[in-house]
């Protein structure tokens, strides 16, 4: 009942009655004080309501009660720590949970054994993602994943995560093997199709990437990120009409996937249609004003339209709505530098570093600023800070972890039409799913049973909010939108 109220508030109200939900959770735990999902859901509610201390007590109570489905409680507590910026505490919680279930060898039934393996896989995946995405430590993430795969060798999620680690380490062949294994285990695993396709796209293997995206969309036509990636691929290839069609089709299938609007807006901006780009990004910000990249695109559009005075206002509004997106601070700092406001720019860059001290481009921008005004002492202090924060030269723009020889080889292969032949593993997957992998444009219409034939981008654009606001005054960017995702 509590979960139903959270998902579909009684009386059609937009926000659930939190008081009622709390009472329901309390009653559930009185009836069964070892019910793990209740502790987890109750803790998640309090975390989202901003009651971190109460959420922590609920998670810890669930752990102390040795409750059922305990991995979800460990996971909830780890997410709470992460939301507070306590990465080490989150890792510690997950390691405790992993050790607990990893050492339970006395289960005497198949169901208990299988459930324990699933628990280990779940916690291993969460811990590995922290190591990979928060700490950027692919080797440590791989260690954790190998531990999980020992218990659950065909877990699609663990195999996908291992593929991401291999890709991050520059081992493309190892990544391909893991992605293929993940998709063999579950061909409906949309994230695996997306990750595999994006890796091939970045490597210049456009034909293979196209096949992977089509396979993914045939299995999961409502996965917005696949439409976005496929549209981006076609735009990279210069197929503007095809890219526009894919973005429009993706929005029809996934109307709440905000990055699709942003991707389409960027496509129109590059094509010179700033009015359409403005309309699209206005729709994106109406749906989710807390997405920082949307405000960056909006500022870029106004700059292209010559509305320089609005750029700073938009970026400041973006910081208000998405204070954790440090790229907004960097963009606004560049805007302030162009206006000659050096102190303001320095303050913005310092604030960005305070929010995310591991985002190297902020240090690079601050170093350029100090060098521009010949602040030798400030530059020396910054060099000392970066040396303490980063193991290598953080003042240089970040590059992928490839050697110079590998980068040269990568560029040579792309220039010569790298990998014209689709890998055997990908071809086998495509054949199994029923997607032809010929490099022709008409294959797009077969992705989801010919649904692209009914897509009209112009009609879709006309139905969006902001239609008709073509005066270039930028006011569309500032309309408030209802909060989402809470």
């Amino acid at each position: 009942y509590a979960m139903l109220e959270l998902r579909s508030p009684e009386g059609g109200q937009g926000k659930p009655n939190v008081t009622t939900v709390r009472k329901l959770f309390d009653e559930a735990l009185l009836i069964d004080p070892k019910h793990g999902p209740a502790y987890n859901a109750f803790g998640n509610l309090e975390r989202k309501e901003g009651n971190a201390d109460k959420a922590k007590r609920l998670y810890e109570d669930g752990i102390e009660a040795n409750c059922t489905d305990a991995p979800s409680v460990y996971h909830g507590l780890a997410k709470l720590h992460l939301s507070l910026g306590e990465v080490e505490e989150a890792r510690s919680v997950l390691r405790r949970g992993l050790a607990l279930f990893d050492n339970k060898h006395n289960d005497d039934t198949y169901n208990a054994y299988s459930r324990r393996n699933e628990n280990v896989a779940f916690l291993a995946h969460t811990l590995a993602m922290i190591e990979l995405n928060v700490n950027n430590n692919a080797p440590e993430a791989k260690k954790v994943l190998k531990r999980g795969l020992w218990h659950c060798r065909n877990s699609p999620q663990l195999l996908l995560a291992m593929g991401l680690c291999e890709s991050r380490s520059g081992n493309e062949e190892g990544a391909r093997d893991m992605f293929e294994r993940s998709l063999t285990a579950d061909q409906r695993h949309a994230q695996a199709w997306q990750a595999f396709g994006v890796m091939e796209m970045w490597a210049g293997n456009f034909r293979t990437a196209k096949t992977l995206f089509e396979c993914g969309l045939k299995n999961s036509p409502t996965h917005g990120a696949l439409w976005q990636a496929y549209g981006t691929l076609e735009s990279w290839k210069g197929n503007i009409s095809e890219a526009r069609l894919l973005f429009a089709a993706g929005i029809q299938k996934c109307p709440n996937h905000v990055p699709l609007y942003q991707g389409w807006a960027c496509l129109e901006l590059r094509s010179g249609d700033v009015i359409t780009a403005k309309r699209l990004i206005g729709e994106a910000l109406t749906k989710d004003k807390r997405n920082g990249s949307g405000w960056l695109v909006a500022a870029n559009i106004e700059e292209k339209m010559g509305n320089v005075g609005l750029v700073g206002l938009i970026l400041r509004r973006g910081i208000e709505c998405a204070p954790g997106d440090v790229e907004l601070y960097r963009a606004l700092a560049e805007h302030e530098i162009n206006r000659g406001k050096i102190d303001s720019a320095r303050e913005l860059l310092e604030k960005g570093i305070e929010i995310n001290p591991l985002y190297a481009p902020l240090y690079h921008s601050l170093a350029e600023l100090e060098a521009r005004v010949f602040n030798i002492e400030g530059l020396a202090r910054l060099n000392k800070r970066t040396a303490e924060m980063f193991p290598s030269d953080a003042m240089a723009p970040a590059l992928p972890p490839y050697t110079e020889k590998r980068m040269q080889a990568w560029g040579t292969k792309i220039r010569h039409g790298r990998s014209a032949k689709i890998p055997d593993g990908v071809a086998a997957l495509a054949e199994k799913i029923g997607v032809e992998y010929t490099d022709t444009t008409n294959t797009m219409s077969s992705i989801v049973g010919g649904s692209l034939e009914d897509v009209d981008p112009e009609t879709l654009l006309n139905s969006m909010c902001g239609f008709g606001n073509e005066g270039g005054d930028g006011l569309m960017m500032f309309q408030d939108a209802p909060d989402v995702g809470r």
Side-chain angles (χ1 to χ4, degrees):
Y1 192 5
M3 298 303 296
L4 178 64
E5 173 64 21
L6 285 173
R7 293 176 183 141
S8 303
E10 190 175 358
Q13 299 297 322
K15 185 176 175 62
N17 188 327
V18 176
T19 302
T20 299
V21 173
R22 286 184 175 124
K23 289 180 180 178
L24 290 167
F25 278 133
D26 283 332
E27 291 178 19
L29 290 173
L30 283 173
I31 295 170
D32 184 0
K34 295 176 71 69
H35 191 64
Y39 285 105
N40 182 52
F42 200 175
N44 290 344
L45 169 67
E46 296 298 349
R47 175 172 57 84
K48 291 175 182 177
E49 290 294 316
N51 303 322
D53 290 339
K54 186 172 182 179
K56 184 178 180 181
R57 285 197 303 272
L58 284 163
Y59 294 131
E60 290 176 344
D61 287 347
I63 292 171
E64 291 175 6
N66 193 24
C67 62
T68 58
D69 192 29
S72 66
V73 183
Y74 281 97
H75 182 261
L77 182 55
K79 283 181 65 178
L80 173 64
H81 284 301
L82 283 176
S83 70
L84 299 173
E86 300 166 352
V87 178
E88 285 302 318
E89 288 82 352
R91 294 169 72 198
S92 175
V93 167
L94 291 167
R95 285 172 176 159
R96 278 166 45 204
L98 195 57
L100 174 66
F101 293 101
D102 200 8
N103 293 330
K104 285 188 176 180
H105 298 294
N106 57 349
D107 295 324
D108 56 0
T109 67
Y110 174 80
N111 287 338
Y113 177 79
S114 177
R115 189 164 56 250
R116 174 171 61 81
N117 286 349
E118 291 175 359
N119 292 340
V120 172
F122 176 68
L123 292 171
H125 180 269
T126 306
L127 179 57
M129 288 298 96
I130 290 178
E131 297 294 354
L132 183 64
N133 296 324
V134 179
N135 296 330
N136 198 26
N137 190 345
E140 184 61 30
K142 287 170 64 175
K143 288 180 184 178
V144 175
L145 291 169
K146 287 177 180 177
R147 185 175 173 183
L149 286 168
W150 190 86
H151 291 275
C152 202
R153 60 179 302 186
N154 291 321
S155 167
Q157 290 78 16
L158 293 180
L159 291 167
L160 168 60
M162 185 66 84
L164 293 173
C165 289
E166 297 292 0
S167 178
R168 185 78 62 89
S169 302
N171 181 8
E172 289 180 6
E173 288 305 316
R176 288 190 183 97
D177 178 59
M178 290 297 162
F179 289 144
E180 288 173 9
R181 285 178 59 188
S182 175
L183 291 167
T184 300
D186 180 8
Q187 72 179 38
R188 300 186 65 83
H189 193 16
Q191 290 86 352
W193 291 112
Q194 177 201 351
F196 198 174
V198 168
M199 185 191 78
E200 298 293 359
M201 185 171 74
W202 277 101
N205 301 326
F206 292 166
R207 187 182 178 194
T208 301
K210 178 177 181 177
T211 300
L212 289 164
F213 293 145
E214 290 186 354
C215 289
L217 287 170
K218 186 164 185 178
N219 281 282
S220 302
T222 58
H223 189 73
L226 276 168
W227 289 104
Q228 181 198 2
Y230 196 179
T232 301
L233 170 64
E234 292 301 326
S235 69
W236 281 17
K237 293 163 64 179
N239 300 330
I240 304 302
S241 296
E242 288 84 351
R244 184 179 291 117
L245 191 64
L246 286 162
F247 285 128
I251 288 173
Q252 281 193 346
K253 293 283 185 180
C254 324
N256 293 319
H257 189 73
V258 172
L260 277 167
Y261 298 86
Q262 296 176 3
W264 191 358
C266 290
L267 174 73
E268 300 299 347
L269 184 61
R270 288 192 296 271
S271 301
D273 188 353
V274 291
I275 299 300
T276 299
K278 183 173 179 177
R279 190 182 303 164
L280 285 161
I281 206 62
E283 183 75 5
L285 291 172
T286 298
K287 289 182 175 294
D288 186 3
K289 63 184 178 183
R290 290 175 293 180
N291 189 306
S293 57
W295 294 102
L296 290 167
V297 176
N300 194 8
I301 290 171
E302 295 299 342
E303 187 175 18
K304 293 286 186 182
M305 296 180 75
N307 300 326
V308 180
L310 283 174
V311 173
L313 293 174
I314 289 173
L315 291 172
R316 291 188 186 280
R317 174 65 169 149
I319 289 173
E320 290 177 6
C321 297
D325 192 323
V326 294
E327 187 60 32
L328 286 166
Y329 295 86
R330 184 167 176 250
L332 184 55
E334 292 295 330
H335 177 72
E336 293 293 89
I337 290 171
N338 292 336
R339 299 172 64 204
K341 296 188 175 183
I342 301 300
D343 291 338
S344 175
R346 182 184 292 114
E347 182 179 342
L348 285 162
L349 291 170
E350 291 284 5
K351 180 63 176 178
I353 290 173
E354 179 185 335
I355 293 171
N356 185 357
L358 296 175
Y359 190 63
L362 286 168
Y363 295 84
H364 185 66
S365 295
L366 185 54
E368 287 184 334
L369 182 149
E370 301 297 5
R372 182 178 301 187
V373 297
F374 302 103
N375 184 359
I376 305 303
E377 292 183 0
L379 194 57
R381 288 194 299 269
L382 182 60
N383 279 329
K384 183 178 179 180
R385 289 167 62 188
T386 54
E388 293 171 351
M389 186 61 62
F390 299 95
S392 59
D393 182 14
M395 306 313 299
L399 291 173
Y402 300 125
T403 62
E404 184 176 353
K405 181 182 287 187
R406 181 177 176 82
M407 288 294 290
Q408 291 173 350
W410 181 79
T412 301
K413 288 181 180 179
I414 289 180
R415 285 194 298 272
H416 291 281
R418 179 182 177 182
S419 298
K421 180 179 181 297
I422 291 179
D424 292 339
V426 176
L429 287 167
E431 184 176 358
K432 179 180 178 182
I433 291 167
V435 171
E436 295 182 9
Y437 44 91
T438 55
D439 192 19
T440 57
T441 56
N442 60 13
T443 54
M444 287 202 303
S445 63
S446 67
I447 296 172
V448 284
S451 65
L452 291 185
E453 297 174 357
D454 301 324
V455 175
D456 182 3
E458 189 63 30
T459 301
L460 185 63
L461 281 168
N462 290 345
S463 69
M464 293 179 182
C465 74
F467 173 66
N469 185 2
E470 300 178 359
D473 58 5
L475 295 178
M476 182 179 68
M477 301 302 177
F478 296 99
Q479 58 189 336
D480 282 330
D483 287 342
V484 296
R486 286 186 178 176

